[in-house]
Amino acid sequence: KVSLLETTRAEQAKAIKKDTHLSDLAKTEKLKTLQEGYSKQLATIHNTVEETLQSFETSVDRSYQEALPSFDAASLTNARHDAKMMLDGVKDDLKLANALIALLEDSDPAMKHLILFTPFPQRYLASRNALGQLAEFDYEHSKVLPNYLTEAGQKALAKKTKAHTLRQAQFRLKVVLENLTGGG
């Protein structure tokens, strides 16, 4: 499927190529100018989308953070020590993601907060050089997280998910634009 922008550009380029009043050199120059014009327009569109998306992501992240429960530092420190002690006992690194999720069951609110709402799990996995377990944990985490969020937290999470989807679309748009303009 050809976009309107591509069609317009293709029609203009075709008209330049068919113009019998222009020399080959003049046609080449006009085509180059046409391409540069489109490249500038596309760069402007991309930059506008990027700025708008960045602003949206910042707003969404702020509302998400505000919707999360908070805990005092002492409770989180104790939970961190308990979690580390339990996880250090897991000898098989391939079982760490499941062990982190298992800590949510029958644990106190501080432990749940530590696992669900802080970067502790990712940092712990990195410290164990179990980077392959990050994707596994993130997947399991995304499945259980909504169960522990308030209504406001669930709404904020939905917006955060939309922001992530928009970021992916923006990346795909960037690739398309680079292909249309012949490079980065």
Side-chain angles (χ1 to χ4, degrees):
K1 189 173 181 181
V2 178
S3 72
L4 179 61
L5 189 59
E6 265 186 276
T7 303
T8 304
R9 183 178 74 168
E11 289 171 356
Q12 289 175 335
K14 191 183 286 184
I16 291 169
K17 290 175 184 176
K18 286 183 178 181
D19 190 338
T20 57
H21 297 89
L22 295 175
S23 68
D24 287 346
L25 182 60
K27 289 178 185 179
T28 301
E29 285 301 314
K30 278 193 159 251
L31 289 170
K32 182 179 174 186
T33 301
L34 178 67
Q35 181 67 28
E36 288 170 354
Y38 275 106
S39 293
K40 286 179 185 176
Q41 285 179 328
L42 293 172
T44 300
I45 292 168
H46 176 264
N47 291 339
T48 301
V49 168
E50 175 63 29
E51 289 171 11
T52 304
L53 184 54
Q54 187 65 43
S55 175
F56 179 66
E57 285 174 326
T58 299
S59 172
V60 165
D61 285 343
R62 188 178 320 111
S63 68
Y64 181 73
Q65 290 302 320
E66 290 169 358
L68 296 180
S70 61
F71 264 89
D72 63 283
S75 295
L76 286 177
T77 299
N78 288 339
R80 188 176 299 111
H81 290 299
D82 290 347
K84 187 173 176 345
M85 182 178 61
M86 288 183 250
L87 293 168
D88 285 348
V90 176
K91 299 303 177 200
D92 184 353
D93 286 352
L94 296 176
K95 295 182 180 179
L96 284 172
N98 290 330
L100 278 160
I101 295 300
L103 287 176
L104 294 172
E105 298 171 12
D106 300 323
S107 64
D108 65 18
M111 180 69 75
K112 286 179 173 122
H113 184 85
L114 178 75
I115 302 299
L116 293 168
F117 305 116
T118 73
F120 170 80
Q122 292 83 357
R123 289 178 181 163
Y124 183 82
L125 291 171
S127 76
R128 289 274 300 259
N129 203 24
L131 301 178
Q133 287 289 284
L134 284 172
E136 172 86 16
F137 173 76
D138 287 344
Y139 174 74
E140 294 297 330
H141 179 267
S142 70
K143 287 186 344 188
V144 299
L145 179 63
N147 301 330
Y148 293 94
L149 291 171
T150 63
E151 185 178 335
Q154 289 178 3
K155 287 179 181 177
L157 179 62
K159 285 183 181 178
K160 194 172 174 82
T161 301
K162 285 180 185 176
H164 179 71
T165 301
L166 287 171
R167 177 55 73 188
Q168 290 174 323
Q170 185 267 343
F171 177 76
R172 289 191 299 272
L173 174 63
K174 180 181 178 186
V175 171
V176 168
L177 295 178
E178 287 173 354
N179 287 334
L180 284 174
T181 60

